[in-house]
Amino acid sequence: MLTSLPSSIATLAPWPGRLKEHLTLFYPLVMAAVPIMYWYAENAREAFFSEVMGTMIVVLATTLLVTLALRLIIKDDVKVAAIVYVLLIMFFSYGVARNVLFFRLDLSIGGTMIGAEPYLSKILIGVTVAAVAGVIFYRGNLAQLVQIGVVMALVLLVFNGGRTVVEGSSRLETVLIDGKSPDQVEFAPADPDNPPDIYYIVVDAYSRADH
């Protein structure tokens, strides 16, 4: 058993080198984290870290599985990373595209609201298929473009991480009610003969600028 231990170590030794060779496959993980961190920075005062981390783990795991699945089909790490870039950008840009085209610009072509469903989904799917096909059949080297993408993603990740720290620190400020913290305030029980007025505001859609 002792004699087999060195051979086992020798077998595992190349793994760091192999990971370095295929480091490009992990670039999409950085880009996948950017939208989640951006959302957290925008909602740092309301969102909880555990909720964000749960979403982050699901997104990163899904991105990794898609990347590995594509790598089994396409034997080019750079092209696989570029394709996953395209998929991530199209997936996370849906909400932005709908908000801009439908709610803000109210854009229509020939009387068709291109920001409405199912037109927007069809447009994005068409653009995605065209972009993926372009990456697959491109004969040049996409390595520099992929590296630029991951550098930009890292910058955005650090920037939004800083925003999260700044905005999240304001949550630590104690909210006082008549000079007392909420756990020190004594609330009188409701009178069953004179219940308080409760109003509900139910918003079933976002309003447009012309409404």
Side-chain angles (χ1 to χ4, degrees), residues 39-60:
W39 181 89
Y40 189 24
E42 290 290 311
N43 301 274
R45 298 185 182 184
E46 294 83 17
F48 291 96
F49 180 77
S50 58
E51 298 174 343
V52 177
M53 284 301 100
T55 304
M56 181 77 79
I57 290 172
V58 171
V59 171
L60 293 182

Side-chain angles (χ1 to χ4, degrees), residues 149-196:
V150 75
V151 170
M152 292 177 62
L154 281 171
V155 171
L156 291 174
L157 202 59
V158 173
F159 174 73
N160 287 299
R163 288 180 57 206
T164 301
V165 173
V166 173
E167 293 292 333
S169 62
S170 62
R171 291 185 56 178
L172 302 178
E173 299 177 0
T174 304
V175 178
L176 300 179
I177 303 176
D178 293 333
K180 300 179 180 178
S181 60
D183 57 346
Q184 296 176 335
V185 177
E186 296 181 0
F187 295 95
D191 184 359
D193 297 328
N194 187 23

Side-chain angles (χ1 to χ4, degrees), residues 77-182:
D77 293 354
V78 174
K79 286 191 174 183
V80 169
I83 291 173
V84 179
Y85 279 5
V86 171
L87 296 178
L88 288 169
I89 292 172
M90 291 302 169
F91 178 79
F92 285 107
S93 64
Y94 172 84
V96 178
R98 179 171 171 78
N99 183 50
V100 172
L101 296 175
F102 185 71
F103 294 109
R104 294 190 179 182
L105 299 181
D106 201 11
L107 187 62
S108 63
I109 299 178
T112 301
M113 300 287 296
I114 62 174
E117 288 300 331
Y119 308 109
L120 181 59
S121 295
K122 292 180 179 179
I123 292 172
L124 290 180
I125 291 173
V127 172
T128 303
V129 171
V132 170
V135 171
I136 293 175
F137 293 107
Y138 183 70
R139 296 185 179 276
N141 189 1
L142 295 171
Q144 187 174 3
L145 187 61
V146 169
Q147 290 173 358
I148 292 174
V150 75
V151 170
M152 292 177 62
L154 281 171
V155 171
L156 291 174
L157 202 59
V158 173
F159 174 73
N160 287 299
R163 288 180 57 206
T164 301
V165 173
V166 173
E167 293 292 333
S169 62
S170 62
R171 291 185 56 178
L172 302 178
E173 299 177 0
T174 304
V175 178
L176 300 179
I177 303 176
D178 293 333
K180 300 179 180 178
S181 60

